[in-house]
């Protein structure tokens, strides 16, 4: 008996039918996260793809939510102070100065000049530490491992100063309502000056590694472009806004602490891409060193705490106060009902607001560029979710 003719359909390994459509759609929905490495925390990004081209994104947040703002309503003003350090834990000092100055405005008191100078020095050191961590991890996201070693080596020197000053390295609870709890330790000024002298040439080393590196330039130039107008429409602030050509920095526009007494520049760029955001942050690191050098040379003598009551009970009213955190505008809206606890607290975190821009920045880019754009946003999910 002869064998019947082969009427079976071609197997999936038969590549001759290359013109056949095996999927009923060109679009693919892909989950990116939630995992830690390239999403800088528990961020889940749902990507809508056409091949490797991004058609759209949706950021799903809330995996880290701790209810910080609600906790504030059940704590006294002083008791809530350490909680703000845990939002953007990479820039805890900036969180602290924003909250303390907001409450001081409610109380209508001002920190003494010495305290304001110490606040500026520690806040700018923290800006350097934050930018160093950003640069090392951003480069690592894109595939460069050496900058991580360089930046963490130098960031360690900042953390040593913080540890000597108040005993903490990361969640640095440096400030109190009314000024600073701790006087500067013996040798503080000398160590800060030594740090400035040590790290100034190190920033040149970062640039030698990356600024003209062909791979770095190709992965960052023209990637994640956003215009200044779109930044303003979305409420984007910080280095993202300045890299798009908008010269806005709260240290100059609405000076707080002692910033009005120092001479420094606001770095800006024009293209609004990942490369320009890198260049702006590197320039900001140099400006931070410039501010620190001026402040440490001119720290005034005197008390470090204003005279405030032991039990803090601000008068009935409300206040909004914002500072220029490393990631952008960090604002605190506090409503007082005259009791020892805030009636309402609302935080305006730059990471949360800036994350809105991700969809506009990655549309039309490749999947690999999504990682670069998330890195260039410099978000911390502790601040996004609060």
């Amino acid at each position: 008996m002869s064998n019947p003719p082969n009427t079976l359909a071609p197997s999936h390994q038969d590549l001759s039918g290359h013109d056949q459509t095996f999927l009923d759609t060109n679009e693919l929905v892909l989950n990116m996260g939630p995992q830690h490495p390239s999403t800088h925390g528990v961020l889940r990004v749902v990507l809508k793809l056409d091949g490797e081209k991004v058609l759209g994104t949706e950021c799903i947040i809330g995996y880290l939510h701790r209810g910080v703002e609600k906790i504030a309503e059940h704590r006294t003003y002083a008791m809530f102070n350490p909680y703000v350090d845990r939002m953007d834990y990479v820039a805890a000092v900036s969180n602290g100065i924003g909250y303390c100055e907001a409450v001081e405005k409610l109380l209508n008191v001002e920190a003494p000049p010495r305290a304001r100078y110490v606040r500026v020095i520690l806040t700018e050191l923290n800006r350097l530490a934050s930018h160093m961590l950003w640069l090392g991890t951003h480069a690592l996201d894109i595939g460069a491992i050496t900058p991580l070693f360089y930046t963490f080596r130098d960031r360690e020197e900042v953390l040593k100063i913080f540890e000597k000053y108040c005993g903490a390295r990361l969640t640095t609870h440096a400030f109190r309502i009314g000024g600073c709890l701790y006087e500067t330790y013996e040798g503080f000024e000398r160590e800060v000056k030594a740090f400035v002298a040590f790290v100034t040439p190190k920033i040149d080393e970062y640039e030698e590694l990356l600024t003209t590196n062909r791979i770095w330039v190709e992965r960052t130039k023209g990637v994640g472009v956003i215009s200044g107008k779109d930044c303003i429409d979305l409420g984007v602030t910080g280095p993202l806004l300045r890299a798009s050509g908008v010269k806005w920095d709260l240290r100059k526009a609405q000076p707080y602490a002692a910033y009005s007494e120092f001479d420094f520049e606001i770095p800006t760029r024009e293209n609004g891409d990942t490369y320009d955001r890198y260049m702006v942050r590197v320039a900001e690191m140099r400006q931070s060193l410039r501010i620190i050098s001026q402040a440490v040379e001119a720290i005034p003598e005197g008390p470090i705490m204003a005279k405030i009551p032991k039990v803090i009970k601000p008068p009935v009213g409300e206040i909004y106060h914002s500072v220029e955190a490393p990631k952008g505008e960090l604002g605190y809206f506090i409503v007082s009902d005259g009791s020892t606890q805030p009636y309402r607290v609302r935080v305006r975190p730059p990471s949360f607001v800036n994350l809105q821009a991700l969809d506009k920045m990655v549309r039309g880019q490749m999947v690999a560029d999504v990682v670069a754009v998330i890195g260039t946003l410099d978000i911390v999910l502790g601040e996004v979710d609060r």
Side-chain angles (χ1 to χ4, degrees), residues 104-105 107-113 116 119 178-179 257 305-307:
E104 287 162 13
K105 275 189 174 181
L107 293 169
N108 198 25
V109 300
E110 188 177 27
R116 286 188 278 126
R119 282 179 171 183
M305 277 292 285
K307 290 184 178 179

Side-chain angles (χ1 to χ4, degrees), residues 326-386:
K327 295 167 177 61
E329 180 182 342
L330 171 64
Y332 291 90
F333 176 67
I334 303 175
V335 180
S336 168
D337 60 0
S339 69
T340 57
Q341 298 174 342
Y343 179 71
R344 285 285 185 273
V345 171
R346 171 68 178 164
V347 183
R348 186 231 182 259
S351 291
F352 174 72
V353 179
N354 292 352
L355 187 58
Q356 292 182 106
L358 179 66
D359 181 62
K360 184 170 279 292
M361 293 162 77
V362 299
R363 283 180 183 250
Q365 304 286 332
M366 298 291 109
V367 173
D369 296 329
V370 176
V371 175
V373 174
I374 291 173
T376 196
L377 287 173
D378 189 19
I379 55 168
V380 164
L381 267 293
E383 184 175 72
V384 173
D385 288 346
R386 302 186 302 292

Side-chain angles (χ1 to χ4, degrees), residues 59 68 116 150 167 208 233 291 300 318 345:
C59 289
V68 168
R116 286 188 278 126
Y150 280 47
E208 285 174 19
D233 291 345
I291 294 168
E318 58 185 47
V345 171

Side-chain angles (χ1 to χ4, degrees), residues 66-190:
R66 292 166 294 175
V68 168
E69 292 155 329
K70 200 67 183 173
I71 288 171
E73 298 170 22
H74 303 279
R75 302 289 186 275
T76 65
Y77 287 91
M79 286 170 65
F80 179 64
N81 198 356
Y83 281 87
V84 300
D85 305 335
R86 273 75 180 167
M87 293 187 301
D88 179 3
Y89 37 79
V90 180
V93 179
S94 296
N95 300 351
I97 192 174
Y99 174 73
C100 289
E101 289 198 345
V103 179
E104 287 162 13
K105 275 189 174 181
L106 270 176
L107 293 169
N108 198 25
V109 300
E110 188 177 27
R114 182 173 178 83
R116 286 188 278 126
Y117 269 66
V118 172
R119 282 179 171 183
V120 166
I121 292 169
L122 293 177
T123 304
E124 291 307 311
L125 284 172
N126 194 210
R127 191 183 310 278
L128 279 160
S130 176
H131 282 355
M132 285 172 179
L133 185 137
W134 161 79
L135 180 56
T137 54
H138 181 41
L140 191 65
D141 289 347
I142 293 178
I145 193 169
T146 306
L148 183 76
F149 300 139
Y150 280 47
T151 54
F152 270 62
R153 171 199 65 192
D154 303 336
R155 179 173 172 267
E156 185 68 21
E157 300 305 313
V158 179
L159 302 187
K160 285 177 184 175
I161 294 172
F162 288 163
E163 191 172 16
K164 276 191 178 181
Y165 178 73
C166 64
R169 287 163 55 87
L170 189 67
T171 49
T172 315
H173 189 43
F175 308 135
R176 300 295 188 275
I177 297 165
C180 305
L181 179 64
Y182 306 111
E183 183 54 90
T184 56
Y185 59 85
E186 187 178 345
F188 173 79
E189 291 90 342
R190 184 183 67 251

